[in-house]
Amino acid sequence: MQSIFEIDPWLALGVVVATALTDAVYVMFTNSVIARKRVAAANWSSLWYTLSSFAVISYTNNWAYVVFAAAGSWIGAYVTMTFLHGAGGKPPAPLAPETAPPA
């Protein structure tokens, strides 16, 4: 069994990249679900599970890789949210209240 201090830098980089891509794909999946785009959501979901399997398989032999997975996850979500919504931090406009049809 590998010691926590025996980290392969290429594998660590692979975990960061895989989790960054996984989170980016997860954000795109969520965006597709919200937009009610079934085919796009299904495609993103399939890619999401494919990418996440690399990270899970890679760091299950040494839990220290979880740190790299967390870093990649943060990077992927941040970059994708910036791409989708721009750098601004403005919240979306509130929804108008629904009115009941006349009875």
Side-chain angles (χ1 to χ4, degrees):
M1 185 161 147
Q2 221 180 2
S3 163
I4 188 173
F5 301 108
E6 296 175 27
I7 294 175
D8 178 357
W10 288 109
L11 182 57
L13 179 63
V15 170
V16 169
V17 170
T19 53
L21 290 173
T22 300
D23 262 49
V25 168
Y26 176 72
V27 170
M28 296 303 292
F29 163 74
T30 303
N31 192 51
S32 297
V33 169
I34 291 168
R36 297 178 186 228
K37 295 179 179 178
R38 293 179 294 178
V39 173
N43 289 340
W44 286 118
S45 179
S46 177
L47 186 56
W48 172 27
Y49 277 97
T50 302
L51 288 169
S52 65
S53 66
F54 170 77
V56 170
I57 291 167
S58 297
Y59 66 71
T60 52
N61 291 328
N62 185 342
W63 66 268
Y65 288 106
V66 172
V67 173
F68 298 102
S73 176
W74 192 93
I75 292 166
Y78 182 85
V79 169
T80 306
M81 289 299 294
T82 301
F83 170 74
L84 284 177
H85 301 291
K90 295 180 183 177
L95 298 174
E98 292 184 22
T99 57

